[in-house]
Amino acid sequence: WDCGFGFIWDRVEMKGAVWSIGLLLLLLSVSLGAAQKSSSSKLESRVSQMLEWNKRNSVIKLSSEKFNTYVKSKPRNYSVVAMLTALKPQRECSVCQDANDEYVILANSYHYSNAYSSRLFFVMVDIDEDGYEIFQWLRLTTAPTYYHFPAAGKRKPEDKFDVGRVGYQADALSKWVSERTGIQITIMRPPNYTMLTLWAVVVITVLVFAYWRRENLSIVYNSQNWAFLAILVILYMISGQMWNHIRGPPIAHRNPHTGDVGYFSGTSQYQFIAETYIVMGLYGAITIGVILMNKELSLPFIEGTVQKGSYMVGLAIVVLVFGYTLSIFRMKYQGYPYSFIFK
């Protein structure tokens, strides 16, 4: 009797344990399902809100609080490209507005293309519009800066765009976005009516001049005119103007502490627009000096007399300007040992 009763009691206890475990697993599955449903609902809400903002602007402006909610929070099934900038005039960020214009062109090109979807959003955080917390979080001291926040996984070093090396043009940003997200964006720029008007004026001027001189077009066959035009094109190209067009550097740099304006970048990897024009002028002066050394130039000082010693003037120009150009080269290439006249 005792053995039979004990056996029955063990069976009852076993069944009770099984029912308890089953009930526990049921409650756990219900809790997990509710949590997943809640998480999915929050994600759908965030995506819906981002799409709503994106309808109004191709670049979504976020405060620190919204950035934490829509970019930093997980889970997230969309990638985010963020530009962190300082557009207020008191910041004196000469490059920020130009960079913002290029960023808007990139975002518009994506927004109105067939590639547009909820997989990618372009946002902007301004340090003076409640964005200081994000600047601190990313430990930023310069602007503009671009980051890619992937939909899954952690950020990699490649998710920070190298503005100093590549520039901030929309085409360069588009290539970087494609590498990080796999989404191809074809840049569509608005028509440049200023350049169109300028070219129209140039063409009309040439046509009017050609009609006016239609019976004597010797100017077209003058080799010196073509040589002068060729020199201008060469000076334009070797002074770094194409680099300016691709990278979009600022005109100059103002020291935020002293207020002094610098026209030369202190590194060989970067340059300012003013710097390129100064270098073009120096190259032009050396060219003029070389021409004067090889071609006599008549300079009437007193009536009836003519000075013919332009080679001395040309030599002086070449020596002085070359020495100054070399000093600029030494300043940009730290450690270069040679100098001439100027230190």
Side-chain angles (χ1 to χ4, degrees):
W1 168 257
D2 292 338
C3 292
F5 182 77
F7 175 75
I8 294 173
W9 181 253
D10 290 341
R11 293 288 300 272
V12 171
E13 285 185 337
M14 184 178 296
K15 287 184 178 180
V18 170
W19 278 102
S20 298
I21 294 174
L23 181 60
L24 180 62
L25 290 175
L26 178 62
L27 292 175
L28 183 61
S29 64
V30 171
S31 299
L32 289 175
Q36 290 177 351
K37 185 176 181 180
S38 176
S39 177
S40 176
S41 176
K42 289 181 179 179
L43 177 59
E44 290 178 1
S45 176
R46 288 201 296 266
V47 173
S48 177
Q49 183 61 71
M50 293 289 281
L51 288 171
E52 182 64 28
W53 285 332
N54 218 193
K55 288 180 181 179
R56 296 193 288 267
N57 292 291
S58 58
V59 176
I60 303 172
K61 295 183 179 180
L62 297 179
S63 62
S64 294
E65 181 181 357
K66 291 179 179 178
F67 189 92
N68 291 331
T69 302
Y70 294 95
V71 180
K72 291 178 65 177
S73 296
K74 296 288 185 176
R76 180 163 42 82
N77 62 358
Y78 54 87
S79 297
V80 176
V81 173
M83 179 179 74
L84 297 105
T85 186
L87 294 174
K88 293 293 184 181
Q90 58 266 28
R91 292 287 179 179
E92 297 183 348
C93 180
S94 58
V95 72
C96 286
Q97 186 58 56
D98 292 337
N100 180 68
D101 294 341
E102 290 293 314
Y103 190 64
V104 170
I105 289 174
L106 171 66
N108 284 338
S109 299
Y110 169 67
H111 189 74
Y112 299 106
S113 70
N114 295 328
Y116 176 74
S117 69
S118 60
R119 292 173 52 203
L120 174 65
F121 294 100
F122 290 88
V123 306
M124 181 183 72
V125 177
D126 194 314
I127 189 173
D128 296 309
E129 295 183 7
D130 194 19
Y132 183 71
E133 179 185 331
I134 305 304
F135 272 74
Q136 281 190 318
W137 174 60
L138 293 170
R139 299 179 181 178
L140 295 179
T141 57
T142 61
T145 304
Y146 304 86
Y147 278 97
H148 167 245
F149 296 90
K154 295 182 178 180
R155 282 186 293 114
K156 300 178 180 179
E158 296 81 7
D159 286 317
K160 182 179 180 181
F161 184 65
D162 192 348
V163 178
R165 183 178 63 86
V166 185
Y168 53 77
Q169 296 296 314
D171 301 271
L173 286 166
S174 173
K175 182 180 178 181
W176 171 68
V177 170
S178 175
E179 292 172 352
R180 304 315 305 158
T181 65
I183 298 175
Q184 300 287 339
I185 302 176
T186 302
I187 299 302
M188 297 178 292
R189 294 183 178 275
N192 190 340
Y193 295 107
T194 302
M195 289 300 298
L196 183 63
T197 304
L198 180 61
W199 276 109
V201 171
V202 170
V203 170
I204 292 173
T205 302
V206 170
L207 292 176
V208 170
F209 181 79
Y211 178 79
W212 180 50
R213 297 291 300 271
R214 62 185 181 279
E215 296 181 358
N216 183 13
L217 295 177
S218 58
I219 187 174
V220 177
Y221 304 102
N222 191 318
S223 61
Q224 290 188 351
N225 293 336
W226 287 107
F228 178 74
L229 180 62
I231 290 174
L232 289 181
V233 173
I234 293 171
L235 292 176
Y236 181 87
M237 298 303 291
I238 66 175
S239 62
Q241 303 304 319
M242 289 304 297
W243 192 95
N244 291 345
H245 179 72
I246 296 171
R247 302 291 181 86
I251 295 177
H253 172 72
R254 181 184 295 275
N255 190 311
H257 303 291
T258 63
D260 295 335
V261 178
Y263 298 104
F264 292 95
S265 171
T267 173
S268 61
Q269 304 298 319
Y270 199 73
Q271 64 184 13
F272 300 126
I273 293 177
E275 175 182 339
T276 60
Y277 282 106
I278 294 173
V279 169
M280 183 167 62
L282 294 174
Y283 288 165
I286 293 176
T287 303
I288 292 173
V290 172
I291 293 174
L292 292 177
M293 290 171 61
N294 290 273
K295 183 178 178 64
E296 289 188 347
L297 182 65
S298 298
L299 300 173
F301 288 97
I302 305 175
E303 186 177 356
T305 65
V306 175
Q307 174 97 16
K308 292 184 179 180
S310 60
Y311 62 92
M312 293 298 297
V313 177
L315 179 62
I317 292 175
V318 170
V319 168
L320 293 174
V321 177
F322 176 77
Y324 183 67
T325 306
L326 189 61
S327 69
I328 296 174
F329 184 84
R330 291 182 72 239
M331 181 265 295
K332 293 183 68 66
Y333 287 81
Q334 301 294 330
Y336 185 77
Y338 305 108
S339 64
F340 185 65
I341 298 178
F342 300 96
K343 294 292 185 181

